[in-house]
Amino acid sequence: MGMLFSLFVVIALVVAAYVIELAGGMAGSVLLGVIIPYAAVAVFLGGFVYKIFDWARSPVPFRIPTTSGQQKSLPWIKRNKLDNPSGTLGVIGRMFLEIFLFRSLFKNTKADLREEGPRLVYGSSKWLWMAGLAFHWSLLFIVVRHFRLFVEPVPAFVNALAGADGFLQLTLPDFYITDAVILLAVTYLFLRRVAIPQLKTFSLAADYFPLFLILGIAGSGVLMRYVTKVNIVGVKSLVNGLFTFHPNIPEGIGSIFYIHLLLVSALLVYFPFSKLMHMGGVWMSPTRNLSNNSRVKRHINPWNPDVKFHTYEEYEDDFRKFMKMVGLPVEKDEEEEE
């Protein structure tokens, strides 16, 4: 149900963009090419900043890093400096490997119950790690490549990246490797959710929707580049105008571009309120960015209530006379004090 609903929403967006551009004329083009993209960027930036600010102000009084190695303790016990860092340098190394290479996903294991026996067998999920890595790096390359539409002249590093991405020169225009990789990676992530019964059982619409949305964005982009040509000069004029706050709508761009742009806008709006925010959350995760020095330093909860303790000495001072009257022993006699 969640999968069909997500697919229906993405198809509805595609149809809506096509109908609005076809029937709306210039007003429809302004809506799809100017108003919606600006609104989407505003929602994305506002939502992203709000989420980060909300996480940043959350107090973290204790060290709660996830570890898979020995903490720093006695000198004769071998510790794991990367999995269980006790200093800033170790945390930087751990965060670098996590953000750029998805190290925790690389170490992820899965469990299968085999019929023979039956017995529980543990194994790695390296295909998931490779698909995740291929998807995220391809997406980064594609986003950076799109800077050629935003600015003029095009920065040298963008041209260099595009040249490296299309070095195979299989087609005209150049075939970008990342275009194929991102489609294959997202398709694998989708098929994995459908083919594995356990994963399919607890998959929700929020798991399928971003996959369909990204497939739609990548697919429409590939169509624009290799199949249904668009007015690339007009596209650059529109995108550059949006970027410099001087929007204009050139004629004859093509419906497929507005479909692509509406899907991108939908992704921007959806991003801050979804699990896609792991892009910002991984930087703020206390289980990753904190050193584990709880055996070296005592961490006191700052919001512990200021409790006024009544010691036994104070208790005896208050009730010594009555305690002596009923024959209870006291530690300090008033006569001795005098």
Side-chain angles (χ1 to χ4, degrees), residues 48 114 137 178 268 294 309 337:
F48 199 98
R114 301 290 173 84
W137 276 105
T178 52
L268 290 176
S294 56
F309 296 100
E337 290 182 348

Side-chain angles (χ1 to χ4, degrees), residues 33-188:
V34 179
I35 298 176
I36 291 179
Y38 272 141
V41 171
V43 172
F44 172 76
L45 293 177
F48 199 98
V49 171
Y50 171 76
K51 282 281 188 180
I52 294 296
F53 180 75
D54 188 45
W55 287 330
R57 68 180 180 178
S58 300
V60 184
F62 303 118
R63 300 301 168 116
I64 50 174
T66 53
T67 66
S68 55
Q70 176 61 43
Q71 182 183 3
K72 181 182 180 182
S73 57
L74 300 172
W76 48 272
I77 297 178
K78 185 179 181 181
R79 65 179 173 127
N80 193 318
K81 297 181 181 179
L82 199 59
D83 282 330
N84 203 343
S86 59
T88 303
L89 194 60
V91 171
I92 292 174
R94 174 176 165 151
M95 289 292 290
F96 177 84
L97 294 176
E98 183 63 34
I99 292 170
F100 293 100
L101 297 176
F102 307 165
R103 186 166 179 261
S104 62
L105 190 59
F106 179 83
K107 298 167 67 176
N108 183 44
T109 57
K110 62 180 180 180
D112 285 328
L113 187 61
R114 301 290 173 84
E115 293 184 358
E116 62 274 16
R119 61 195 180 97
L120 189 63
V121 178
Y122 293 95
S124 61
S125 302
K126 294 299 182 288
W127 282 107
L128 174 62
W129 170 74
M130 285 191 289
L133 203 63
F135 163 69
H136 285 85
W137 276 105
S138 297
L139 185 61
L140 177 63
F141 272 56
I142 292 170
V143 170
V144 175
R145 270 202 287 109
H146 276 64
F147 270 102
R148 61 196 292 267
L149 301 174
F150 286 76
V151 292
E152 185 63 35
V154 180
F157 75 93
V158 175
N159 286 328
L161 185 66
D165 198 0
F167 82 100
L168 289 177
Q169 298 184 342
L170 294 175
T171 59
L172 189 65
D174 292 341
F175 174 75
Y176 288 137
I177 299 172
T178 52
D179 288 345
V181 171
I182 194 169
L183 284 173
L184 290 174
V186 178
T187 302
Y188 169 79

Side-chain angles (χ1 to χ4, degrees), residues 141-274:
F141 272 56
I142 292 170
V143 170
V144 175
R145 270 202 287 109
H146 276 64
F147 270 102
R148 61 196 292 267
L149 301 174
F150 286 76
V151 292
E152 185 63 35
V154 180
F157 75 93
V158 175
N159 286 328
L161 185 66
D165 198 0
F167 82 100
L168 289 177
Q169 298 184 342
L170 294 175
T171 59
L172 189 65
D174 292 341
F175 174 75
Y176 288 137
I177 299 172
T178 52
D179 288 345
V181 171
I182 194 169
L183 284 173
L184 290 174
V186 178
T187 302
Y188 169 79
L189 294 175
F190 166 70
L191 293 177
R192 177 176 169 271
R193 285 198 174 274
V194 177
I196 301 177
Q198 299 92 329
L199 198 57
K200 185 179 180 181
T201 300
F202 58 76
S203 292
L204 304 173
D207 299 307
Y208 291 111
F209 182 64
L211 292 177
F212 286 134
L213 202 53
I214 292 170
L215 273 176
I217 293 170
S220 57
V222 168
L223 284 176
M224 272 193 295
R225 182 170 176 80
Y226 304 107
V227 183
T228 305
K229 303 297 181 182
V230 296
N231 178 8
I232 190 64
V233 176
V235 169
K236 179 153 185 172
S237 175
L238 171 58
V239 176
N240 187 259
L242 291 173
F243 189 68
T244 56
F245 297 102
H246 294 88
N248 65 89
I249 304 293
E251 295 183 356
I253 290 182
S255 300
I256 187 69
F257 170 75
Y258 288 107
I259 292 173
H260 183 75
L261 190 58
L262 183 63
L263 293 178
V264 172
S265 299
L267 183 65
L268 290 176
V269 172
Y270 179 74
F271 197 102
F273 313 103
S274 68

